[in-house]
Amino acid sequence: MNIFVCIKQVPDTETKIRIKGDKSGIETNDVKWIVSPYDEFAIEEALRAKAFLKTGTVTVVTVGPDRAVEALRTGLAMGADTAVHVRWETSCNVSIAKAVAEVVKKENGSVIFSGKQAIDDDQGVVFAYTAELLNWPSTSTVSKVEFGTDGKSVTVEKEVDGSARHKIAMNTPCVIAMTKGINAPRYASLPGIMAAKKKTVKVYSPSDLGLSDSPLLKDFDYELPPERKAGIKLSGEIPAQVAELVKRLREEAKVI
Amino acid sequence: MKVFVVAEHKDGKLKRVSAEVVAEFGRQGQEVTALVLGSGDLNAITGDLAKAGASKIIVLEHADLKDYSTEGYANAAHAYLSSQGAEVIASGGQGKDFMPRLAAKFGVGVANDCTSFGLASGKLTVRRPVFAGKCSKSVEFLKSPAMFTLRPNVVSSEGKTAAGTVERVAATPGAIRTKVAEVIASAAKKVELTEADIIISGGRSLKSADNFKILHECAAVVGAAVGASRAAVDAGYAPHAMQVGQTGKTVSPKLYIACGISGAIQHLAGMRTSKVIVAINKDAEAPIFQKADYGIVGDLFEVVPLLTAELKKLKG
C-alpha cells in the first residue's frame, strides 16, 4: 500500500496578516511557515496505517514554491519514507489537484490522505477535486480510520454537521481527509530529523506532469476586516450587571 | 443568467442556508431554479423553496439519494445540469463537501464558504474569507459555470414567494462507493454551531469538561449552541466539533457570548463576524474586551448561572 499524504505549507496560525499594497494577496515576508495542522493529522494517520498494515510506504507530496520543501522535510522527519515536490508557485487549487492526481498516477499511489482543508485558504477543494479526477471515492471530516488487514477496505468515521458521526465503509483506492481530534501528531525526533536529510525528495515541474497554469478563478481585492470597536464594560454589582446585559441585548442590540 | 441552487435538506426539512441563497438571488432580481435531490415526500422542502423565491424546482428523484452522499449528489447534479446551460451553480454549507467533485466534473473552479455574492452585467463575483476571516478577498470565475457555496447565517432567508413550479425528474446518482454502515448519534440533540443564532463559548477557565454544563444550561434556555476555544479543546474539556477559531469552525451568529476566553488571534478570527459579542472574563485586560460590544469583568462561575436565571425570566 502506497499511502500519499497531500500536504500544504501555510503561515503559522499566530500570523498577523498584512495585505500587499495592490491588494493582490498577503505579504509573505517574515511569515513563519508550518505544515497545515490538518495535514499533520494526515501524516500521523498515514504512519499509523503503515504500522498497522505492516507493509507499504508513506509519501508526502506538496505543490508549491521552493520553500515548500521544508514542509516535506517535516513530514520525512516525522517518519514518511519519501517525498514528492511539485515545484510550482500556483494559486489555483484546481492546478494543485491536477498535479497531485498526476503524481499519484505516476507513482502508483493506492490511497491519499490529507487534511480536511488548509488553514490559509480554508477551501477543502484539493483532495475532493483530486478524488474526482482519479475517479476514487472520498470522505472528509474524518475522525477515525480503520483499515481491513489486507488494506483493501477501510472504515472511517465522518463528523457530520450537528451531533452525529457516520461510520462509512469504502474500498481502496480512495481519498480520506482528516479533521482535528483524530490523533495527536508525533513530534519529529532528533534522529528523525537527521534521517530526513538523507531521504529523497523527488522533484517534478508542471511540464513533467503535462500541466500548465490556466487559472479558473481570479482572486483580487484582499482586505482586512473592519476592526471591531470595543464596546462598553458594564459596571456595578455582578447581578445588576447581568440584568443590565440582558436588558441591553433585548432592547438595544435586539438579539434575544 | 441561468442560476441553479442545489438545496440541502435534513429530516424532511429544508436547511435554512438554502433558503438564504435563493432569497439573496431574489433580492438581486435574479430568477433561480432550485434542485432538490432525494426520494419520498419532499413537499415541505419544495414548499419552503418556493417561499424563499425559487421560480422553478426540479426534484431529482432516486432511492439512492434518500440519504446524502458526496458522490450521489455530485453525480446526479452533474447528470442533470450538464444539459441545462447552467451559468451559476450555488449551494450552502454542505455544498463544501460535494461541490468540489461537481466542479471537477465540469472542469471549473469553485469558491467555498462565501459571505456575499453579487451579479453585475452578467458576471458573478463572490467575497470570501481567508485565514479563517483574518482577511477576505473577491473571486471571479474565468470559466462557466461559476460555482460557489454560501456560508450559513450571512444573509436573510426571507424571500418573496415565487411560483415554485415542481418538476420531478428521475435522477442518475451512479455508483455511490461510500456506504454508511452506521450512524453514531451523540446523546443530546445539539444546535449546529455554524447555523446557530446564539453561541455561548467557554475557554480554559471552565477548568473541566463537567463544568461546561453551566454553559449548556444557559444555552438550553435560548436555543443556543455551545462552543469552545482551542485551549479548552486541547485541554480535553470539549470535543473538537465544538471548537471555534482558525483550526475549528468559523461562525457568524447574532450573539456570541465568550466565557473565560481571552481572545487569541486564531479564536477572534473564527467569531469576529458575529453581530454582537459579549465577553465575560475575570481579567479586565483580556484582549477579548477590545472586540466585545458588552463586557462583564467577573468570574464566569458567578456570571453564567445569573445569566441563565435572567434569560429564564425573559423567556417566561
Side-chain angles (χ1 to χ4, degrees):
Chain A
M1 165 107 66
N2 298 324
I3 305 175
F4 274 70
V5 189
C6 179
I7 68 174
K8 185 174 186 184
Q9 191 185 42
V10 297
D12 186 85
T13 52
E14 292 305 314
T15 306
K16 199 165 158 66
I17 300 295
R18 288 167 299 131
I19 309 288
K20 282 184 185 163
D22 64 358
K23 296 186 168 188
S24 66
I26 65 152
E27 289 284 359
T28 51
N29 303 333
D30 309 326
V31 162
K32 184 185 163 204
W33 297 96
I34 59 166
V35 175
S36 183
Y38 294 114
D39 297 341
E40 281 194 327
F41 299 123
I43 298 170
E44 176 65 35
E45 206 55 30
L47 297 172
R48 291 183 188 193
K50 181 188 159 187
F52 169 78
L53 294 165
K54 300 189 183 74
T55 171
T57 55
V58 173
T59 303
V60 280
V61 53
T62 197
V63 181
D66 291 354
R67 60 168 160 75
V69 74
E70 291 309 316
L72 295 174
R73 292 278 170 215
T74 303
L76 291 171
M78 285 172 73
D81 302 293
T82 59
V84 175
H85 185 183
V86 181
R87 220 176 264 162
W88 195 3
E89 188 145 20
T90 172
S91 61
C92 176
N93 53 20
V94 173
S95 296
I96 294 172
K98 285 178 180 168
V100 173
E102 289 306 318
V103 165
V104 169
K105 271 192 250 174
K106 258 187 199 301
E107 308 278 334
N108 291 318
S110 30
V111 61
I112 298 174
F113 283 11
S114 91
K116 67 162 184 164
Q117 67 192 53
I119 61 146
D120 54 354
D121 218 27
D122 295 324
Q123 288 292 277
V125 165
V126 169
F127 73 86
Y129 215 104
T130 306
E132 185 61 39
L133 292 172
L134 292 167
N135 192 20
W136 292 2
S138 59
T139 302
S140 183
T141 57
V142 166
S143 58
K144 194 174 181 184
V145 176
E146 281 178 320
F147 276 97
T149 43
D150 60 359
K152 290 201 174 94
S153 63
V154 60
T155 304
V156 300
E157 280 182 24
K158 175 184 174 69
E159 285 189 4
V160 185
D161 277 0
S163 50
R165 279 171 295 140
H166 286 175
K167 206 175 239 192
I168 292 175
M170 293 184 284
N171 289 326
T172 56
C174 62
V175 178
I176 304 172
M178 319 294 166
T179 190
K180 190 173 169 177
I182 188 168
N183 57 43
R186 69 195 66 186
Y187 288 103
S189 64
L190 190 58
I193 294 166
M194 299 309 288
K197 289 182 178 161
K198 295 197 191 100
K199 291 178 185 170
T200 339
V201 177
K202 209 176 207 177
V203 177
Y204 286 108
S205 71
S207 56
D208 294 337
L209 303 170
L211 299 169
S212 62
D213 208 4
S214 52
L216 296 162
L217 304 176
K218 184 182 153 204
D219 295 342
F220 60 103
D221 207 12
Y222 277 73
E223 259 177 14
L224 295 175
E227 276 297 320
R228 280 191 88 101
K229 282 193 227 87
I232 49 159
K233 274 185 199 150
L234 303 170
S235 55
E237 293 294 314
I238 294 287
Q241 282 192 44
V242 172
E244 165 88 9
L245 172 68
V246 171
K247 187 164 178 264
R248 280 175 179 263
L249 289 177
R250 182 148 184 103
E251 292 169 11
E252 197 172 74
K254 298 189 170 68
V255 289
I256 54 172
Chain B
M1 292 185 93
K2 274 200 121 173
V3 174
F4 291 86
V5 173
V6 185
E8 297 170 44
H9 53 93
K10 202 180 166 193
D11 305 328
K13 281 193 215 118
L14 182 71
K15 285 230 179 186
R16 191 169 64 187
V17 65
S18 299
E20 289 166 355
V21 183
V22 171
E24 178 63 17
F25 273 115
R27 278 187 289 274
Q28 298 189 22
Q30 173 62 52
E31 270 202 9
V32 167
T33 301
L35 248 53
V36 179
L37 287 67
S39 77
D41 180 5
L42 302 165
N43 292 337
I45 297 158
T46 55
D48 281 349
L49 282 166
K51 232 183 269 170
S55 52
K56 207 171 155 192
I57 300 162
I58 308 294
V59 174
L60 295 178
E61 272 182 310
H62 196 286
D64 291 352
L65 294 173
K66 190 172 180 301
D67 295 310
Y68 172 82
S69 68
T70 318
E71 282 184 292
Y73 264 55
N75 293 343
H78 181 253
Y80 177 76
L81 289 171
S82 57
S83 60
Q84 297 298 313
E87 289 167 279
V88 175
I89 304 170
S91 189
Q94 199 171 50
K96 202 173 168 179
D97 190 67
F98 72 86
M99 290 279 271
R101 289 196 80 121
L102 183 57
K105 286 175 184 290
F106 278 106
V108 301
V110 56
N112 271 333
D113 208 25
C114 301
T115 48
S116 69
F117 61 89
L119 294 159
S121 45
K123 205 158 83 176
L124 176 81
T125 306
V126 298
R127 190 86 198 156
R128 69 173 191 79
V130 268
F131 296 96
K134 285 179 186 170
C135 68
S136 64
K137 66 181 179 189
S138 291
V139 180
E140 269 176 16
F141 302 84
L142 305 178
K143 195 176 168 198
S144 182
M147 292 182 58
F148 76 96
T149 67
L150 187 74
R151 171 180 294 186
N153 269 358
V154 294
V155 296
S156 162
S157 61
E158 301 290 325
K160 219 161 101 191
T161 305
T165 326
V166 177
E167 187 188 329
R168 303 182 96 87
V169 176
T172 41
I176 299 168
R177 293 165 292 180
T178 49
K179 303 280 171 238
V180 178
E182 193 185 337
V183 175
I184 310 160
S186 75
K189 190 129 185 107
K190 289 182 202 131
V191 184
E192 165 61 16
L193 265 182
T194 52
E195 292 166 14
D197 281 331
I198 303 177
I199 294 174
I200 302 176
S201 271
R204 191 158 38 196
S205 316
L206 261 296
K207 294 197 187 96
S208 74
D210 200 37
N211 286 339
F212 262 81
K213 71 170 183 283
I214 66 166
L215 301 190
H216 284 289
E217 282 162 9
C218 186
V221 180
V222 286
V226 177
S229 72
R230 184 168 80 189
V233 170
D234 288 350
Y237 304 163
H240 172 249
M242 280 168 59
Q243 187 180 324
V244 173
Q246 198 174 2
T247 49
K249 298 200 166 120
T250 308
V251 298
S252 331
K254 286 194 189 122
L255 173 61
Y256 189 91
I257 306 176
C259 307
I261 290 174
S262 63
I265 287 185
Q266 58 79 25
H267 187 79
L268 296 174
M271 44 66 91
R272 66 181 309 146
T273 53
S274 306
K275 191 168 163 233
V276 173
I277 296 174
V278 171
I280 297 166
N281 205 300
K282 267 201 289 206
D283 175 9
E285 302 304 316
I288 189 83
F289 286 117
Q290 296 304 316
K291 306 289 172 196
D293 299 281
Y294 303 104
I296 292 182
V297 179
D299 185 349
L300 72 95
F301 291 103
E302 182 189 359
V303 177
V304 174
L306 285 168
L307 180 61
T308 308
E310 202 64 36
L311 289 170
K312 266 187 193 156
K313 268 195 246 166
L314 193 72
K315 296 286 163 186

